[in-house]
Amino acid sequence: MIDYNKTDEEQAEDIKAWWKENGISVVAGIGLAVAALFGWEYWQKHQIAQMESASTLYSSVQTSADDAATTKSIQELQSEYAKSPYAALATLETAKKHAEKGEYEPAATALRWVIDNTKEPDLKNIASVRLARVLAGAGKYDEALKLASQTYGTAYESVLEEIKGDIYSAQNKVEDARKAYERAMVATKNGSTELIKIKLDNLGKGA
């Protein structure tokens, strides 16, 4: 604090003395603040560049008709951009393609990769629900039922109950299957229940 009772020369000497004692700390503090600012800007630019690269690879996965090129792009997404949503989305797509062909093992492997690597809760839930369906299709009923019985958001209730119904039906547990399908129909929001009705009708034939 400046003492205005002192002469200009005395005040100047005080300032010089204070700067001599504290100047290094002040300069260091300014330097750290500047470094932090530039470091943050660099990190931001790096994150943007990473997302742009991942987006480009994901676009190539969606548009490429070359299976080998698609596989290579997915592998690069998984290895270089594992935490980006694009890696999870691309892996979900390849899992779907495998499942549609009845290739349950590679489908399950892909879905487990998403569960283990994505930071997005919704993508993790989608992968878990799909894995339950894939495991049921592969005849791994206990593992599928355990996964389908975990806690998810209400948006997944109908499909989970339908999966449980499919499992119980495959195990010839007719009454359990009927209850699960009925719960699935009740939980369905703004969607068709026609397929579930067909599954319910089919239960009567195999009871």
Side-chain angles (χ1 to χ4, degrees):
M1 186 173 182
I2 298 175
D3 185 350
Y4 290 98
N5 292 320
K6 292 184 178 182
T7 65
D8 290 345
E9 290 182 359
E10 289 173 331
Q11 290 177 13
E13 288 301 320
D14 287 346
I15 293 171
K16 288 179 183 179
W18 182 90
W19 182 257
K20 184 176 181 181
E21 183 178 346
N22 300 286
I24 294 176
S25 298
V26 172
V27 172
I30 293 172
L32 287 173
V34 172
L37 176 61
F38 280 103
W40 172 253
E41 289 181 352
Y42 172 80
W43 184 83
Q44 290 274 60
K45 290 178 181 178
H46 175 71
Q47 291 295 106
I48 293 171
Q50 289 283 95
M51 291 300 287
E52 288 176 347
S53 297
S55 175
T56 299
L57 278 172
Y58 179 61
S59 295
S60 72
V61 169
Q62 291 184 303
T63 58
S64 177
D66 186 335
D67 289 343
T70 298
T71 299
K72 184 178 179 181
S73 293
I74 292 172
Q75 289 174 343
E76 188 173 349
L77 278 166
Q78 290 178 343
S79 62
E80 300 297 329
Y81 311 98
K83 300 304 179 183
S84 77
Y86 295 108
L89 289 169
T91 306
L92 283 172
E93 287 188 17
T94 195
K96 181 181 178 182
K97 290 177 182 178
H98 284 304
E100 288 173 346
K101 296 176 183 178
E103 299 168 351
Y104 296 123
E105 285 302 317
T109 297
L111 291 168
R112 286 193 174 99
W113 186 94
V114 176
I115 293 168
D116 292 340
N117 288 275
T118 186
K119 296 187 296 183
E120 304 292 333
D122 285 341
L123 293 178
K124 189 183 293 288
N125 284 338
I126 289 170
S128 297
V129 171
R130 290 186 183 180
L131 179 58
R133 190 181 291 281
V134 164
L135 292 171
K140 298 180 179 181
Y141 302 126
D142 290 341
E143 191 178 354
L145 189 58
K146 182 178 179 181
L147 196 58
S149 299
Q150 291 180 2
T151 301
Y152 300 88
T154 55
Y156 300 96
E157 185 177 355
S158 178
V159 67
L160 288 167
E161 291 299 335
E162 184 181 353
I163 292 170
K164 291 176 187 177
D166 292 345
I167 294 169
Y168 291 135
S169 179
Q171 294 176 319
N172 204 32
K173 297 178 179 179
V174 177
E175 193 57 34
D176 287 336
R178 180 175 287 110
K179 290 178 180 178
Y181 287 141
E182 288 172 349
R183 289 194 297 269
M185 290 182 65
V186 171
T188 300
K189 305 293 183 184
N190 302 320
S192 174
T193 59
E194 192 63 34
L195 179 58
I196 302 174
K197 288 179 181 177
I198 292 172
K199 291 180 179 181
L200 268 170
D201 291 340
N202 288 339
L203 287 177
K205 301 175 183 178

